[in-house]
mmCIF file of all heavy atoms in Angstrom:
data_model
loop_
_atom_site.group_PDB
_atom_site.id
_atom_site.type_symbol
_atom_site.label_atom_id
_atom_site.label_comp_id
_atom_site.label_asym_id
_atom_site.label_seq_id
_atom_site.Cartn_x
_atom_site.Cartn_y
_atom_site.Cartn_z
ATOM 1 N N ILE A 1 124.220 69.826 96.046
ATOM 2 C CA ILE A 1 124.157 70.741 97.184
ATOM 3 C C ILE A 1 124.167 72.169 96.647
ATOM 4 O O ILE A 1 125.075 72.551 95.904
ATOM 5 C CB ILE A 1 125.367 70.543 98.125
ATOM 6 C CG1 ILE A 1 125.424 69.104 98.611
ATOM 7 C CG2 ILE A 1 125.319 71.508 99.285
ATOM 8 C CD1 ILE A 1 126.737 68.742 99.249
ATOM 9 N N THR A 2 123.157 72.957 97.004
ATOM 10 C CA THR A 2 123.109 74.369 96.644
ATOM 11 C C THR A 2 123.281 75.182 97.922
ATOM 12 O O THR A 2 122.554 74.977 98.892
ATOM 13 C CB THR A 2 121.771 74.725 95.960
ATOM 14 O OG1 THR A 2 121.626 73.900 94.799
ATOM 15 C CG2 THR A 2 121.754 76.180 95.546
ATOM 16 N N THR A 3 124.250 76.099 97.900
ATOM 17 C CA THR A 3 124.567 76.874 99.101
ATOM 18 C C THR A 3 123.836 78.211 99.097
ATOM 19 O O THR A 3 123.629 78.815 98.041
ATOM 20 C CB THR A 3 126.082 77.145 99.170
ATOM 21 O OG1 THR A 3 126.472 77.865 98.003
ATOM 22 C CG2 THR A 3 126.864 75.860 99.249
ATOM 23 N N HIS A 4 123.425 78.648 100.277
ATOM 24 C CA HIS A 4 122.796 79.957 100.458
ATOM 25 C C HIS A 4 123.235 80.529 101.803
ATOM 26 O O HIS A 4 123.212 79.815 102.804
ATOM 27 C CB HIS A 4 121.266 79.860 100.445
ATOM 28 C CG HIS A 4 120.705 79.481 99.118
ATOM 29 N ND1 HIS A 4 120.636 80.362 98.061
ATOM 30 C CD2 HIS A 4 120.198 78.313 98.665
ATOM 31 C CE1 HIS A 4 120.108 79.744 97.028
ATOM 32 N NE2 HIS A 4 119.833 78.505 97.363
ATOM 33 N N LEU A 5 123.585 81.796 101.808
ATOM 34 C CA LEU A 5 123.866 82.483 103.061
ATOM 35 C C LEU A 5 122.541 83.022 103.592
ATOM 36 O O LEU A 5 121.797 83.684 102.864
ATOM 37 C CB LEU A 5 124.823 83.658 102.848
ATOM 38 C CG LEU A 5 126.297 83.315 102.706
ATOM 39 C CD1 LEU A 5 127.095 84.568 102.395
ATOM 40 C CD2 LEU A 5 126.821 82.657 103.955
ATOM 41 N N VAL A 6 122.253 82.744 104.835
ATOM 42 C CA VAL A 6 121.040 83.244 105.465
ATOM 43 C C VAL A 6 121.468 84.322 106.438
ATOM 44 O O VAL A 6 122.277 84.086 107.331
ATOM 45 C CB VAL A 6 120.288 82.109 106.206
ATOM 46 C CG1 VAL A 6 119.043 82.650 106.872
ATOM 47 C CG2 VAL A 6 119.954 80.985 105.236
ATOM 48 N N ARG A 7 120.911 85.532 106.265
ATOM 49 C CA ARG A 7 121.327 86.672 107.084
ATOM 50 C C ARG A 7 120.163 87.150 107.938
ATOM 51 O O ARG A 7 119.008 87.073 107.538
ATOM 52 C CB ARG A 7 121.793 87.810 106.191
ATOM 53 C CG ARG A 7 123.002 87.444 105.360
ATOM 54 C CD ARG A 7 123.333 88.586 104.404
ATOM 55 N NE ARG A 7 124.409 88.218 103.532
ATOM 56 C CZ ARG A 7 124.261 87.643 102.340
ATOM 57 N NH1 ARG A 7 123.085 87.345 101.889
ATOM 58 N NH2 ARG A 7 125.310 87.346 101.616
ATOM 59 N N ASP A 8 120.505 87.705 109.091
ATOM 60 C CA ASP A 8 119.506 88.368 109.920
ATOM 61 C C ASP A 8 119.210 89.726 109.300
ATOM 62 O O ASP A 8 120.064 90.330 108.645
ATOM 63 C CB ASP A 8 120.031 88.567 111.348
ATOM 64 C CG ASP A 8 120.218 87.249 112.074
ATOM 65 O OD1 ASP A 8 119.513 86.293 111.716
ATOM 66 O OD2 ASP A 8 121.064 87.187 112.980
ATOM 67 N N GLU A 9 118.002 90.259 109.521
ATOM 68 C CA GLU A 9 117.663 91.584 109.008
ATOM 69 C C GLU A 9 118.557 92.627 109.668
ATOM 70 O O GLU A 9 118.808 92.591 110.867
ATOM 71 C CB GLU A 9 116.200 91.907 109.303
ATOM 72 C CG GLU A 9 115.252 91.236 108.344
ATOM 73 C CD GLU A 9 113.838 91.752 108.514
ATOM 74 O OE1 GLU A 9 113.658 92.959 108.771
ATOM 75 O OE2 GLU A 9 112.923 90.931 108.400
ATOM 76 N N GLY A 10 119.041 93.560 108.883
ATOM 77 C CA GLY A 10 119.867 94.640 109.412
ATOM 78 C C GLY A 10 121.305 94.232 109.682
ATOM 79 O O GLY A 10 122.082 95.026 110.187
ATOM 80 N N GLU A 11 121.668 93.007 109.382
ATOM 81 C CA GLU A 11 123.030 92.547 109.630
ATOM 82 C C GLU A 11 123.975 93.229 108.645
ATOM 83 O O GLU A 11 123.718 93.294 107.454
ATOM 84 C CB GLU A 11 123.099 91.027 109.447
ATOM 85 C CG GLU A 11 124.478 90.455 109.570
ATOM 86 C CD GLU A 11 124.508 88.960 109.257
ATOM 87 O OE1 GLU A 11 123.463 88.377 108.958
ATOM 88 O OE2 GLU A 11 125.606 88.405 109.320
ATOM 89 N N VAL A 12 125.056 93.761 109.168
ATOM 90 C CA VAL A 12 126.061 94.404 108.329
ATOM 91 C C VAL A 12 127.177 93.392 108.112
ATOM 92 O O VAL A 12 127.724 92.836 109.062
ATOM 93 C CB VAL A 12 126.613 95.688 108.998
ATOM 94 C CG1 VAL A 12 127.705 96.308 108.135
ATOM 95 C CG2 VAL A 12 125.485 96.667 109.236
ATOM 96 N N ARG A 13 127.494 93.166 106.862
ATOM 97 C CA ARG A 13 128.549 92.210 106.524
ATOM 98 C C ARG A 13 129.791 92.977 106.126
ATOM 99 O O ARG A 13 129.697 94.016 105.466
ATOM 100 C CB ARG A 13 128.088 91.315 105.380
ATOM 101 C CG ARG A 13 126.800 90.580 105.714
ATOM 102 C CD ARG A 13 126.251 89.963 104.482
ATOM 103 N NE ARG A 13 126.061 91.012 103.477
ATOM 104 C CZ ARG A 13 125.052 91.043 102.625
ATOM 105 N NH1 ARG A 13 124.162 90.111 102.631
ATOM 106 N NH2 ARG A 13 124.956 92.003 101.731
ATOM 107 N N SER A 14 130.932 92.468 106.463
ATOM 108 C CA SER A 14 132.188 93.173 106.176
ATOM 109 C C SER A 14 132.398 93.323 104.678
ATOM 110 O O SER A 14 132.971 94.311 104.235
ATOM 111 C CB SER A 14 133.367 92.430 106.811
ATOM 112 O OG SER A 14 133.471 91.137 106.267
ATOM 113 N N TRP A 15 131.926 92.400 103.860
ATOM 114 C CA TRP A 15 132.143 92.495 102.433
ATOM 115 C C TRP A 15 131.152 93.458 101.763
ATOM 116 O O TRP A 15 131.294 93.797 100.609
ATOM 117 C CB TRP A 15 132.110 91.128 101.760
ATOM 118 C CG TRP A 15 130.839 90.371 101.943
ATOM 119 C CD1 TRP A 15 129.721 90.425 101.174
ATOM 120 C CD2 TRP A 15 130.542 89.439 102.969
ATOM 121 N NE1 TRP A 15 128.754 89.599 101.651
ATOM 122 C CE2 TRP A 15 129.229 88.961 102.766
ATOM 123 C CE3 TRP A 15 131.252 88.949 104.060
ATOM 124 C CZ2 TRP A 15 128.624 88.037 103.597
ATOM 125 C CZ3 TRP A 15 130.643 88.017 104.878
ATOM 126 C CH2 TRP A 15 129.343 87.575 104.642
ATOM 127 N N ASP A 16 130.115 93.907 102.505
ATOM 128 C CA ASP A 16 129.181 94.888 101.969
ATOM 129 C C ASP A 16 129.634 96.322 102.236
ATOM 130 O O ASP A 16 129.084 97.264 101.677
ATOM 131 C CB ASP A 16 127.788 94.699 102.583
ATOM 132 C CG ASP A 16 127.079 93.472 102.028
ATOM 133 O OD1 ASP A 16 127.486 92.991 100.952
ATOM 134 O OD2 ASP A 16 126.130 93.006 102.677
ATOM 135 N N LEU A 17 130.603 96.534 103.120
ATOM 136 C CA LEU A 17 131.068 97.876 103.449
ATOM 137 C C LEU A 17 131.873 98.432 102.282
ATOM 138 O O LEU A 17 132.616 97.700 101.618
ATOM 139 C CB LEU A 17 131.932 97.846 104.715
ATOM 140 C CG LEU A 17 131.205 97.437 105.998
ATOM 141 C CD1 LEU A 17 132.202 97.346 107.140
ATOM 142 C CD2 LEU A 17 130.100 98.431 106.334
ATOM 143 N N PRO A 18 131.763 99.711 102.018
ATOM 144 C CA PRO A 18 132.517 100.294 100.904
ATOM 145 C C PRO A 18 134.009 100.300 101.208
ATOM 146 O O PRO A 18 134.420 100.440 102.352
ATOM 147 C CB PRO A 18 131.963 101.711 100.780
ATOM 148 C CG PRO A 18 131.285 101.983 102.077
ATOM 149 C CD PRO A 18 130.903 100.668 102.670
ATOM 150 N N THR A 19 134.780 100.137 100.156
ATOM 151 C CA THR A 19 136.235 100.201 100.311
ATOM 152 C C THR A 19 136.651 101.653 100.478
ATOM 153 O O THR A 19 135.853 102.576 100.283
ATOM 154 C CB THR A 19 136.932 99.603 99.074
ATOM 155 O OG1 THR A 19 136.612 100.431 97.946
ATOM 156 C CG2 THR A 19 136.501 98.180 98.823
ATOM 157 N N GLY A 20 137.924 101.891 100.810
ATOM 158 C CA GLY A 20 138.426 103.247 100.980
ATOM 159 C C GLY A 20 138.244 104.075 99.726
ATOM 160 O O GLY A 20 137.889 105.254 99.773
ATOM 161 N N LEU A 21 138.469 103.505 98.551
ATOM 162 C CA LEU A 21 138.309 104.218 97.297
ATOM 163 C C LEU A 21 136.844 104.593 97.080
ATOM 164 O O LEU A 21 136.538 105.708 96.670
ATOM 165 C CB LEU A 21 138.826 103.363 96.138
ATOM 166 C CG LEU A 21 138.715 103.990 94.748
ATOM 167 C CD1 LEU A 21 139.566 105.269 94.679
ATOM 168 C CD2 LEU A 21 139.153 103.003 93.688
ATOM 169 N N GLN A 22 135.942 103.680 97.390
ATOM 170 C CA GLN A 22 134.518 103.959 97.214
ATOM 171 C C GLN A 22 134.054 105.045 98.189
ATOM 172 O O GLN A 22 133.181 105.841 97.872
ATOM 173 C CB GLN A 22 133.691 102.695 97.422
ATOM 174 C CG GLN A 22 133.879 101.670 96.323
ATOM 175 C CD GLN A 22 133.224 100.346 96.690
ATOM 176 O OE1 GLN A 22 133.089 100.016 97.861
ATOM 177 N NE2 GLN A 22 132.833 99.592 95.676
ATOM 178 N N GLN A 23 134.622 105.118 99.377
ATOM 179 C CA GLN A 23 134.224 106.120 100.353
ATOM 180 C C GLN A 23 134.648 107.522 99.922
ATOM 181 O O GLN A 23 133.968 108.504 100.197
ATOM 182 C CB GLN A 23 134.829 105.792 101.727
ATOM 183 C CG GLN A 23 134.216 104.594 102.384
ATOM 184 C CD GLN A 23 134.954 104.216 103.665
ATOM 185 O OE1 GLN A 23 135.986 104.776 104.006
ATOM 186 N NE2 GLN A 23 134.414 103.239 104.372
ATOM 187 N N ARG A 24 135.791 107.652 99.242
ATOM 188 C CA ARG A 24 136.308 108.968 98.835
ATOM 189 C C ARG A 24 135.648 109.484 97.566
ATOM 190 O O ARG A 24 135.605 110.667 97.321
ATOM 191 C CB ARG A 24 137.812 108.883 98.622
ATOM 192 C CG ARG A 24 138.588 108.838 99.927
ATOM 193 C CD ARG A 24 140.040 108.941 99.616
ATOM 194 N NE ARG A 24 140.358 107.840 98.693
ATOM 195 C CZ ARG A 24 141.342 106.982 98.876
ATOM 196 N NH1 ARG A 24 142.135 107.101 99.886
ATOM 197 N NH2 ARG A 24 141.556 106.015 98.031
ATOM 198 N N TYR A 25 135.157 108.588 96.729
ATOM 199 C CA TYR A 25 134.604 109.016 95.447
ATOM 200 C C TYR A 25 133.220 109.618 95.646
ATOM 201 O O TYR A 25 132.338 109.018 96.249
ATOM 202 C CB TYR A 25 134.538 107.830 94.476
ATOM 203 C CG TYR A 25 133.985 108.225 93.124
ATOM 204 C CD1 TYR A 25 134.771 108.960 92.236
ATOM 205 C CD2 TYR A 25 132.687 107.913 92.775
ATOM 206 C CE1 TYR A 25 134.268 109.337 91.008
ATOM 207 C CE2 TYR A 25 132.186 108.295 91.550
ATOM 208 C CZ TYR A 25 132.980 109.006 90.668
ATOM 209 O OH TYR A 25 132.484 109.387 89.461
ATOM 210 N N VAL A 26 133.022 110.800 95.134
ATOM 211 C CA VAL A 26 131.727 111.470 95.214
ATOM 212 C C VAL A 26 131.297 111.791 93.793
ATOM 213 O O VAL A 26 132.027 112.414 93.038
ATOM 214 C CB VAL A 26 131.823 112.776 96.048
ATOM 215 C CG1 VAL A 26 130.491 113.496 96.066
ATOM 216 C CG2 VAL A 26 132.300 112.461 97.439
ATOM 217 N N SER A 27 130.124 111.335 93.463
ATOM 218 C CA SER A 27 129.587 111.574 92.131
ATOM 219 C C SER A 27 128.897 112.930 92.103
ATOM 220 O O SER A 27 128.284 113.342 93.097
ATOM 221 C CB SER A 27 128.589 110.463 91.791
ATOM 222 O OG SER A 27 127.823 110.826 90.670
ATOM 223 N N PRO A 28 128.932 113.623 90.989
ATOM 224 C CA PRO A 28 128.197 114.888 90.888
ATOM 225 C C PRO A 28 126.698 114.693 91.092
ATOM 226 O O PRO A 28 125.996 115.604 91.507
ATOM 227 C CB PRO A 28 128.484 115.376 89.466
ATOM 228 C CG PRO A 28 129.667 114.619 89.010
ATOM 229 C CD PRO A 28 129.724 113.364 89.809
ATOM 230 N N LEU A 29 126.187 113.523 90.834
ATOM 231 C CA LEU A 29 124.761 113.266 90.995
ATOM 232 C C LEU A 29 124.377 113.008 92.446
ATOM 233 O O LEU A 29 123.205 113.000 92.778
ATOM 234 C CB LEU A 29 124.336 112.076 90.127
ATOM 235 C CG LEU A 29 124.500 112.266 88.620
ATOM 236 C CD1 LEU A 29 124.120 110.997 87.884
ATOM 237 C CD2 LEU A 29 123.643 113.429 88.133
#
């Protein structure tokens, strides 16, 4: 059995959202 998640286009997943640390960090680039 091989598992695959099938997503709708434009679907936002909770695990794809940036964490609080990632939201505060700003790169010079």
Side-chain angles (χ1 to χ4, degrees):
I1 302 166
T2 302
T3 59
H4 292 285
L5 281 176
V6 179
R7 297 175 185 91
D8 293 334
E9 281 189 37
E11 175 185 359
V12 177
R13 303 168 304 217
S14 62
W15 59 88
D16 286 341
L17 295 176
T19 64
L21 180 62
Q22 291 170 333
Q23 289 173 354
R24 284 188 303 232
Y25 181 74
V26 177
S27 166
L29 297 177

